[in-house]
Amino acid sequence: MADESSEKTEEPTPKRQKESKEKGQVPRSRELTTLVMMLTASAGLMVVGKYIYQALENVFHLSWQPQRHMLQDPAWLVQATGLALKQMVMGLLPFLLMMVAAAIIGSAMLGGLNFSQKALGFKVSKMNPMKGLAKMFGLKALVELGKSLAKFSIVALVAWFLLQNTIDDFARLAGIPLDLAIPRAMEILGWSLLKLSSTLILIAVIDVPYQLWDNSRQLKMSLQEIKDEMKDSEGKPEVKGRIRQLQREMSQRRMMADVPEADVIITNPTHYSVALKYKHGEMDAPIVVASGVDHVALKIREIAKEYEVIMVTAPPLARAIYYSSEVGEPINEGLYLSIAQVLAYVYQLNEFQKGQATQPEMPGEFDIPTDLQREK
């Protein structure tokens, strides 16, 4: 049985997608590009065809109607040739620019603009004839063959119908002046090419989803590849730092969620806050459910105030708990007596608020062992 971890069933990671773009591996549809270029060519013939005709007419005038003094001038041929080339370039330039723009837009419509140096680089593996044969008989080659046959069949059939419908129009051009016949011929060619190009829409509609699916299939990863990538990524200092930051944020969110369940918040009003919880008979000692300094301490106090958790101001005790006990762990043994005084005050205060006892007095001095005392 094949190892399931080696089967490519998982969606590609952002890193894999980025690397594939750097290598030039993006979805491309030749059919979509061809369709856009042919539609542009047909539109170009109808829009700028008259400029092409004017350029051709000027070239013919220069070539076939020379004056006697021109023929006697040795430099005339050079000048006439340069002028003819200039006329042709100026006449064809708008059409050529449209075709270049169509090629770029058609290519970028599916995979975006992606100029990859790695894709242009020479690779010895590309010269391997065995890989070439494998590609010739692979799934992609069969799909390309099917598309080519479909394109040829559709285009040939439509071209035959267009020829039957336009043959009379071309025949009538023989009976009209040349200056009217050529623009009319370009118009007929433009509309015919437009109709012929439209037949490729069906091929493009089928090819675009296939190219997207095929590219996604090639980028899929196995579970083992994802694990290996995570190991490589976690080795980077910036990734480790980001992971530690996320872990701290998650830990802080869990800690804040436990504050409403605390029995008391012991604070140093300006810097420290420590939340304690104790259930008689279930816990051997009070547990620290949250602790923090500065803005974290302020957040603990805000939550405690919102949920009406009793707060006791005892700066030396707050500092001692903060530095000697971790969140989720019992308090240090040396602080048992001091915490017992605080919890007794909290229980008496709860009874007082229920109207069942007199108002208790806030504990004064706390007996904190020397090794647990902190000045700041």
Side-chain angles (χ1 to χ4, degrees):
M1 183 181 293
D3 186 2
E4 292 183 359
S5 64
S6 63
E7 295 181 4
K8 297 189 175 184
T9 58
E10 305 303 313
E11 294 298 321
T13 61
K15 180 182 177 183
R16 178 66 173 268
Q17 293 175 339
K18 181 181 178 182
E19 290 177 348
S20 68
K21 287 185 178 180
E22 291 175 352
K23 296 176 182 178
Q25 186 180 352
V26 293
R28 296 289 188 205
S29 174
R30 295 178 183 175
E31 315 310 324
L32 181 61
T33 305
T34 303
L35 172 63
V36 173
M37 292 186 67
M38 291 190 67
L39 290 175
T40 304
S42 58
L45 285 176
M46 291 185 287
V47 174
V48 301
K50 60 182 180 180
Y51 300 108
I52 298 175
Y53 162 68
Q54 290 173 358
L56 290 172
E57 185 180 30
N58 293 334
V59 170
F60 278 115
H61 279 299
L62 289 171
S63 302
W64 298 103
Q65 294 183 357
Q67 302 295 323
R68 169 178 280 186
H69 68 277
M70 295 180 181
L71 295 175
Q72 293 175 348
D73 185 359
W76 174 79
L77 181 61
V78 176
Q79 294 175 356
T81 302
L83 189 57
L85 288 174
K86 180 181 178 181
Q87 290 288 338
M88 287 301 300
V89 170
M90 294 303 295
L92 292 173
L93 185 60
F95 182 78
L96 293 176
L97 291 176
M98 291 175 65
M99 294 306 298
V100 171
I104 295 174
I105 293 172
S107 179
M109 285 177 69
L110 190 58
L113 292 175
N114 185 47
F115 301 99
S116 172
Q117 295 181 353
K118 292 183 179 180
L120 297 175
F122 175 77
K123 293 182 180 180
V124 178
S125 59
K126 293 182 178 180
M127 306 297 293
N128 189 338
M130 298 305 297
K131 288 188 176 181
L133 289 174
K135 289 182 178 180
M136 289 177 61
F137 298 99
L139 174 63
K140 195 166 187 176
L142 292 175
V143 172
E144 293 296 329
L145 177 62
K147 289 191 299 183
S148 298
L149 293 175
K151 278 193 298 184
F152 176 80
S153 302
I154 294 175
V155 171
L157 182 63
V158 174
W160 185 81
F161 279 111
L162 288 174
L163 183 61
Q164 295 297 316
N165 293 330
T166 58
I167 192 168
D168 293 336
D169 294 331
F170 280 110
R172 283 193 288 271
L173 295 177
I176 62 176
L178 184 63
D179 59 340
L180 298 177
I182 293 180
R184 175 58 181 161
M186 287 192 172
E187 183 181 352
I188 295 173
L189 284 173
W191 280 107
S192 300
L193 185 59
L194 180 62
K195 295 174 183 177
L196 194 64
S197 303
S198 300
T199 60
L200 297 178
I201 293 177
L202 177 62
I203 304 296
V205 166
I206 296 174
D207 185 58
V208 169
Y210 168 76
Q211 295 298 338
L212 292 172
W213 171 83
D214 185 57
N215 185 72
S216 177
R217 178 184 62 83
Q218 293 182 33
L219 291 180
K220 281 187 178 294
M221 303 174 66
S222 65
L223 290 173
Q224 187 60 44
E225 287 176 329
I226 293 178
K227 291 178 181 178
D228 293 341
E229 182 181 297
M230 290 179 65
K231 288 180 181 178
D232 294 338
S233 299
E234 289 176 359
K236 299 179 180 179
E238 62 272 16
V239 176
K240 284 185 175 181
R242 177 59 178 165
I243 291 174
R244 285 194 294 267
Q245 180 184 352
L246 292 174
Q247 289 174 339
R248 286 194 298 269
E249 291 176 356
M250 292 175 63
S251 176
Q252 191 176 110
R253 283 195 294 269
R254 288 195 299 267
M255 183 177 70
M256 294 302 179
D258 292 335
V259 171
E261 304 297 324
D263 293 309
V264 63
I265 311 296
I266 301 176
T267 71
N268 171 343
T270 55
H271 294 292
Y272 299 87
S273 292
V274 180
L276 302 179
K277 183 177 183 180
Y278 178 67
K279 289 187 178 180
H280 183 69
E282 296 181 14
M283 299 179 178
D284 295 331
I287 301 294
V288 179
V289 296
S291 69
V293 296
D294 297 332
H295 69 279
V296 177
L298 177 61
K299 185 65 176 178
I300 292 174
R301 292 195 295 271
E302 289 176 351
I303 297 175
K305 184 177 180 180
E306 179 182 354
Y307 287 89
E308 298 182 348
V309 179
I310 297 173
M311 288 186 281
V312 173
T313 302
L317 184 58
R319 292 195 296 267
I321 299 172
Y322 177 81
Y323 286 107
S324 65
S325 306
E326 297 292 335
V327 175
E329 297 181 358
I331 61 171
N332 189 284
E333 294 180 0
L335 300 174
Y336 280 2
L337 180 59
S338 298
I339 299 303
Q341 291 178 262
V342 172
L343 291 176
Y345 166 75
V346 170
Y347 295 150
Q348 292 173 11
L349 185 60
N350 285 329
E351 293 297 318
F352 168 73
Q353 291 173 348
K354 295 177 183 178
Q356 299 176 1
T358 59
Q359 184 173 2
E361 292 184 3
M362 178 79 71
E365 298 295 329
F366 295 99
D367 185 14
I368 301 174
T370 305
D371 60 327
L372 298 180
Q373 292 180 9
R374 295 290 188 277
E375 293 299 326
K376 295 183 179 179

